[in-house]
Amino acid sequence: MAVDRERVERLTRELLEAIGEDPDRPGLKQTPARVAELYEEFFSGVGQDAAAPLARTISVSRGPAPETLPSGAVLLRDIRFRSVCEHHLLPFAGHAHIAYLPGEQVVGLGALVRVVETIAARPQVQERLGEQIADTIAEHLDTRGVLVVLDAVHGCVTMRGGRQTDASTLTIAARGEYTDAAARAEIVVLIGAGA
C-alpha cells in the first residue's frame, strides 16, 4: 500500500492551521508537499515483505569441503537505520548489529541490511523492531541462532519531556542458540569491540 501523498498534503495543511500557522506563508507553502514526500520515504516498508531479500541464499555445503558447515557466527555490525516512533511520530535512529549461526545456507550481507531497512520503514517501537528483524531472519533463513542488537537515539527522549540529549536505548532480540546468555556473550563482546 503506497502512501496517499495528496491526503498527507491536505492533512499537513490542516495541521498547520490547527497549530495557528498560515500554510500559505512563503516558508510553509511547500511544507505539505515536502511532508508527503518525507512520509512516502519514511513509511515505504508498510505492506512490504521484509523476508523477500532472504529468498536468494547460497549453499555452503557445495564448496571444497561439503561436509563442513560454518562453525562460527556471521556478524554484520553498524547497520545504520532510522524509523519513526509510533507513539509521537518522532524519528529514532541508530545502529543495528545482526549475528546469525548459518545452517547449510547463507545469504548476501546486503539482504540483512534490506531486512532492517524494510521493517524500520514503518511506524515502530524499538523493542518490536528488533523482534521483527530476528523473527524474519530466523523464519526465512537456515539458521541455528539469530541475535539482533539495536542501539538508537529517540527524538521523543532527546527533544521532548526530559530532553536527555545523550540517552540511547539498547535492545536485544535472540532466537535459537542465542537465547542462551552464555552463547551470545562472545557476540555482544565483538559488537562492543567495534565501537
Side-chain angles (χ1 to χ4, degrees), residues 96-99 129-131 133-134 137 146-150 171-174:
H97 313 282
I98 299 173
L129 175 60
E131 297 294 329
I133 293 167
I137 295 168
V146 176
L147 182 67
V148 176
V149 178
L150 302 179
T171 56
I172 298 174

Side-chain angles (χ1 to χ4, degrees), residues 132-145:
Q132 289 177 342
I133 293 167
D135 286 341
T136 300
I137 295 168
E139 292 169 13
H140 298 280
L141 191 61
D142 180 22
T143 69
R144 295 172 283 138

Side-chain angles (χ1 to χ4, degrees), residues 52-176:
L54 301 175
R56 295 185 58 183
T57 60
I58 303 160
S59 174
V60 292
S61 63
R62 292 193 203 131
E67 70 284 347
T68 306
L69 290 178
S71 61
V74 174
L75 171 60
L76 183 59
R77 293 186 308 201
D78 298 322
I79 303 167
R80 288 181 132 325
F81 75 92
R82 56 109 180 101
S83 192
V84 175
C85 175
E86 65 185 33
H87 297 151
H88 300 97
L89 294 182
L90 287 173
F92 65 96
H95 291 93
H97 313 282
I98 299 173
Y100 75 95
L101 287 166
E104 293 188 19
Q105 302 285 321
V106 294
V107 69
L109 297 176
L112 299 175
V113 173
R114 287 189 297 282
V115 168
V116 172
E117 290 172 342
T118 301
I119 299 173
R122 303 170 180 170
Q124 278 289 6
V125 292
Q126 182 174 334
E127 299 87 342
R128 186 174 64 236
L129 175 60
E131 297 294 329
Q132 289 177 342
I133 293 167
D135 286 341
T136 300
I137 295 168
E139 292 169 13
H140 298 280
L141 191 61
D142 180 22
T143 69
R144 295 172 283 138
V146 176
L147 182 67
V148 176
V149 178
L150 302 179
D151 187 2
V153 175
H154 292 252
C156 56
V157 174
T158 62
M159 294 188 275
R160 63 172 301 280
R163 296 190 185 120
Q164 296 298 309
T165 57
D166 295 329
S168 71
T169 302
L170 190 71
T171 56
I172 298 174
R175 302 292 181 272

Side-chain angles (χ1 to χ4, degrees), residues 3 36-45 82 121:
V3 170
E37 182 179 357
L38 172 81
Y39 276 23
E40 187 172 55
E41 180 183 335
F42 270 28
F43 301 120
S44 62
R82 56 109 180 101

